[in-house]
Amino acid sequence: MTDTKYVYSFGGGSAEGRSDMKNLLGGKGANLAEMANLGIPVPAGYTLTTEVCTYFYDHDETYPSSIEAEADAALAKVEEIMGTRFGDADDPLLLSVRSGARSSMPGMMETVLNVGLCSATIPGLIAKTGNPRFVYDAYRRLIMMYSDVVMEKAAGVEPAEGKGIRQQLDHMLEEVKESKGYGTDADISADDLKDLAERFKATIKEVLGRDFPDDPREQLWGGISAVFSSWNGKRAVSYRRIESIPDEWGTAVNVQAMVFGNMGDDSATGVAFTRNPATGDNRFYGEWLPNAQGEDVVAGTRTPNPLNEDTKNEQNEHLPSLQVAMPEVYEQLFAIRNQLEAHYTDMQDIEFTIQDGRLWMLQTRVGKRTGTAALNMAMDMLAEGTIDSRTAVLRVKPEQLDELLHPIVDPAAEKTADLIAKGLPAGPGGAFGQIVFSADDAVEWVKAGKTVLLVREETNPEDVEGMRAAVGILTGRGGMTSHAALVARGWGKCCIVGAGVLNIDVVGKTISVDGRVFNEGDVLTLNGTRGLVYAGQLDMVDATENPRFVDFMKLADEVRVLKVRTNAETPDDAATAIEFGAEGIGLFRTEHMFYGTGSEEPLFLLRKMIMSGSESARRAALVELYPFVKRDMKATLEIMGDRPVTFRLLDPPLHEFVPQSTDERGELAQALGVSVEDLDRRADELHELNPMMGHRGVRLGVTFPEISEMQFRAILEAAAELRQEGKACFPEIMVPVTCAKAELDDQLALAKAVHAEVCEKYGVDEVEHLYGTMIEIPRAALTADEIAKSTQFFSFGTNDLTQMTFGFSRDDIGGFLPDYLDKKILPVDPFQVLDRDSVGVLVQTGIERGRSTRPNLKVGICGEHGGEPNSVEFCHLVGMDYVSCSPYRVPVARLAAAHAQINHPRD
Ligand code: PEP
Ligand code: MG
């Protein structure tokens, strides 16, 4: 026997658990306990902890020896509170068995309802309810779910496509409806349901080779094991990978007394949010269905009724609201809404059931929300005095800012656009893409470089990978709380659900509407903020300045200690970055001025310099190139004003700039006065087998000092001129791809000589600047104490540092990384999220060693990780001064830095 407590009871006004026990009880279990403690009506039940799940997987899918006794005792309490007994022939208690992980994984795991119905209990329940139709409907639902979840999925049976037991039973149900002319499930008679249940059981025996269990206890433990097994089901595993939920967490299982929303017209079920999850409006928001079970709302198979007047929209305005249909129950629910918000001080996502006019709460949890809603709710609750400013800052995830800065459909283009349907605005922003009709196609097409919209009648959790891959999601059925809506909102993805006028044929791969047909591959545009579907491609524009966003970011800026700079190399990018709050440029990649608009002439001169056969020819070409380099550097310095600008010396392997086309080579040969053959020979000389580790970075400056000199002069003269014009500027010179102090000394000697000449030219004693290096090679990090003697700052180039640490070519990971992620060899792409265990150790070592010889060494990061929230937190933790990232990531990094300071304060 162990002392570990594996089972926690709740119900009847008290509970053994609490909301802060999510790790053990899962989110659902912990919150059911909390609601019971608050005196909110919750059907009694018990939670098998996540430790049971861990044990289950560690012990060949078996249970701790004490579990049965604990669960039996908990079941006895449920029986006492509910006044009915499990398996009782006269008055049977029925149970639900549901998953509940620490963090919500909507629809990704399994559920079994109505457990306990069998030949011994059916007559008693019919006698008690006087409603045989209800009982047989509950029974056929049990059979359908149980055979699918327990007898097929959990048993590892892999049916042929379309031959799953659930599909076969669904088909039988449809046949009965068709042959008897029943419009909906609710019309099927008790006799037909009874007959169907018998035929279901025969089919199950035939297909799966086993009897459907007629013993309540066997059903219960079968259900529990199946829910634990579903933690390792395919969709749960993919969802965890996408959401970075660790496999070791495990799920809890909640066994709870059933209450029925499908007992007649006095019964109902619904889902609601204490505030609007799409906009953040402080209004009670939800959907309900009379005479239905919870799965009917979430499955999106019927358009649900609006909860109240506030929730009405074009799709549901003809349906009665709960507020009107059952005013007293609505008032009670509204009071619970207020109680829950006040208690949790955050927006809640709740599920409820009304059985014979009595309200039961089945779930509360912090609701998923769009970035816009997160921002609005945080600022509203701050203004209401419900939360403080730090909590407000934490309420918006850094990743959600992406969505606030997301493109939207150009309103001007929308005015004349070809509107084909209206649906519910389930996920924000705009998106256009080619339509595909299955999740697998979405994934395939995206792999092939296409931009797709995933179109489904309704989505189910199996579609999750495809939903992730698509830029937008469109469904014909379902409400704002349907699976597609929940998942899309969680990701901030453009999504429209319930576009009912569209006739979506996923087999034929067409959408027909008003006599028109759209085929796979046709382009549609979605306005996910308004629920509008357009034919063809419309322009997108950036969301306009939002004053709330500005106020919110001020709160974040007040908190953070890490500075945020940007990677930019044009005055335009610099200006954008300043608008996004950049406090400097952390990486000006000099070579980028040779790409893009207006770069033809400097590019030609650069090529001339590279292809020059001698130092004198190279110097001559550099003289011609010089004014362009200085002009761009000066313009950028000027825009940035008193903010620092880090100019990184030319980095790429020279052959990248060798012209490829015959025409260009001819033109260049003429300018250089050499033959095309000579030029080709020179190009061959520059060719390298492994250019990423070849003649690049500081190595160029060592072998061709004149290239470095030209850049030092451009930076220092630009700065000297600006200062003479009375303008502030702070240039920083950065040497890339360094591996040894001596390289820096070599370049520093050149820089000093140029500095002296510039001072003389402008008649000044000094042109103030910093001299520093990138740390991109493990050797540089390991010898940082030496390197720091010759530099005033370090900037970690974690793109190359990751490449060199993993030995993964940053340009070639596409060939193998997806398999590494699939097989869980790596948890995430290390080029996106800094690998703390390896690259992180080098960074930390580099900082410690560098500061051991130069305590005031300034340290930043300029690899792509500088805009990724988890990596930003790491940079904060290791004591960097700043991060630098692309302009659009600047707000994300600012917020991530604020979160890091709140969660891990540093001086
Ligand atoms: C880096 O290597 O992290 C870096 C910023 O430099 P680049 O990406 O230009 O190689
Ligand atoms: Mg680099």
Side-chain angles (χ1 to χ4, degrees), residues 567 587 589 591-592 648 651 692 696 737 774 776 796-801 810 862-864:
N567 297 353
L587 178 62
R589 289 178 167 103
E591 61 275 10
H592 279 208
R648 197 256 312 265
D651 179 0
M692 269 297 183
R696 62 176 287 213
V737 200
M774 292 185 77
E776 300 173 274
F796 284 88
T798 45
N799 302 332
D800 276 312
L801 193 56
R810 51 195 270 204
C862 61
E864 285 305 300

Side-chain angles (χ1 to χ4, degrees), residues 248-268:
E248 317 74 77
W249 279 6
T251 181
V253 172
N254 297 293
V255 177
Q256 195 176 14
M258 283 295 301
V259 285
F260 294 95
N262 56 341
M263 266 204 176
D265 293 339
D266 264 357
S267 300

Side-chain angles (χ1 to χ4, degrees), residues 753-834:
V754 172
H755 180 253
E757 286 168 25
V758 174
C759 287
E760 194 178 323
K761 177 170 173 188
Y762 290 87
V764 293
D765 292 338
E766 192 196 354
V767 182
E768 206 187 312
H769 68 277
L770 294 183
Y771 181 74
T773 185
M774 292 185 77
I775 305 287
E776 300 173 274
I777 295 180
R779 188 179 191 281
L782 297 171
T783 59
D785 43 350
E786 277 301 300
I787 287 181
K789 289 179 188 162
S790 298
T791 54
Q792 292 157 301
F793 68 90
F794 283 176
S795 179
F796 284 88
T798 45
N799 302 332
D800 276 312
L801 193 56
T802 300
Q803 167 167 268
M804 309 267 184
T805 303
F806 277 78
F808 288 175
S809 159
R810 51 195 270 204
D811 299 321
D812 302 307
I813 48 165
F816 56 88
L817 195 74
D819 290 331
Y820 271 56
L821 299 177
D822 273 351
K823 293 187 171 174
K824 299 195 204 148
I825 292 172
L826 288 175
V828 284
D829 174 355
F831 288 96
Q832 283 179 31
V833 182
L834 187 142

Side-chain angles (χ1 to χ4, degrees), residues 345-661:
T345 67
D346 198 358
M347 187 268 271
Q348 299 291 297
D349 164 358
I350 60 183
E351 284 177 23
F352 60 91
T353 281
I354 300 161
Q355 176 175 323
D356 286 334
R358 184 165 173 197
L359 175 67
W360 294 96
M361 298 301 295
L362 299 186
Q363 170 156 303
T364 188
R365 62 183 173 199
V366 171
K368 287 194 191 297
R369 60 203 70 184
T370 62
T372 312
L375 175 76
N376 285 332
M377 284 181 206
M379 296 308 277
D380 283 347
M381 288 187 183
L382 178 67
E384 290 158 22
T386 319
I387 56 174
D388 62 17
S389 61
R390 291 181 162 236
T391 309
V393 169
L394 290 177
R395 284 285 162 87
V396 182
K397 293 189 204 145
E399 303 81 1
Q400 283 181 313
L401 292 186
D402 257 356
E403 165 204 330
L404 285 171
L405 307 164
H406 240 235
I408 56 171
V409 183
D410 182 355
E414 260 182 303
K415 281 193 191 132
T416 53
D418 178 8
L419 180 70
I420 58 167
K422 286 186 183 178
L424 300 175
F432 61 79
Q434 293 181 279
I435 53 175
V436 293
F437 292 85
S438 80
D440 287 346
D441 286 343
V443 171
E444 285 304 311
W445 285 45
V446 169
K447 266 196 196 144
K450 296 182 177 157
T451 303
V452 303
L453 299 176
L454 176 62
V455 181
R456 304 283 290 157
E457 264 179 301
E458 68 217 22
T459 69
N460 62 47
E462 262 116 30
D463 293 334
V464 62
E465 294 273 16
M467 293 171 68
R468 184 74 175 178
V471 292
I473 299 149
L474 171 64
T475 77
R477 292 203 292 229
M480 288 288 279
T481 48
S482 62
H483 168 262
L486 278 182
V487 171
R489 195 174 306 127
W491 290 338
K493 181 157 290 202
C494 177
C495 174
I496 296 175
V497 297
V501 296
L502 300 180
N503 197 337
I504 296 171
D505 174 2
V506 293
V507 179
K509 301 190 174 180
T510 58
I511 301 177
S512 17
V513 55
D514 289 340
R516 298 166 72 182
V517 177
F518 297 89
N519 295 304
E520 183 181 48
D522 288 350
V523 174
L524 297 182
T525 298
L526 307 183
N527 176 338
T529 314
R530 292 171 60 204
L532 306 175
V533 184
Y534 298 101
Q537 176 175 336
L538 299 192
D539 286 345
M540 300 284 149
V541 293
D542 285 342
T544 45
E545 286 261 320
N546 171 352
R548 283 208 121 167
F549 172 71
V550 175
D551 288 346
F552 174 80
M553 290 308 294
K554 271 193 203 133
L555 296 178
D557 287 343
E558 278 163 23
V559 177
R560 70 187 162 89
V561 293
L562 201 57
K563 297 246 182 254
V564 178
R565 298 196 192 182
T566 191
N567 297 353
E569 36 279 314
T570 64
D572 277 356
D573 282 353
T576 310
I578 291 174
E579 271 171 39
F580 283 129
E583 295 165 297
I585 289 182
L587 178 62
F588 178 107
R589 289 178 167 103
T590 302
E591 61 275 10
H592 279 208
M593 61 171 285
F594 302 106
Y595 310 141
T597 41
S599 62
E600 294 79 9
E601 200 176 348
L603 179 61
F604 183 77
L605 295 170
L606 177 79
R607 286 175 165 168
K608 209 169 144 189
M609 183 273 287
I610 291 170
M611 303 304 270
S612 300
S614 67
E615 186 187 327
S616 58
R618 208 161 28 249
R619 281 196 184 273
L622 283 169
V623 167
E624 285 185 274
L625 184 57
Y626 177 74
F628 293 94
V629 177
K630 180 171 147 190
R631 182 197 63 191
D632 280 18
M633 289 179 164
K634 188 173 170 185
T636 306
L637 273 175
E638 185 169 3
I639 287 249
M640 294 308 287
D642 55 7
R643 303 173 185 88
V645 178
T646 310
F647 293 105
R648 197 256 312 265
L649 303 185
L650 277 175
D651 179 0
L654 289 182
H655 80 98
E656 273 191 20
F657 290 99
V658 172
Q660 297 304 320
S661 78

Side-chain angles (χ1 to χ4, degrees), residues 270-275 284-287 307 333 347-352 481:
V271 186
F273 295 89
T274 56
R275 298 185 188 209
F284 196 21
Y285 185 94
E287 294 168 336
L307 185 70
L333 184 65
M347 187 268 271
Q348 299 291 297
D349 164 358
I350 60 183
E351 284 177 23
F352 60 91
T481 48

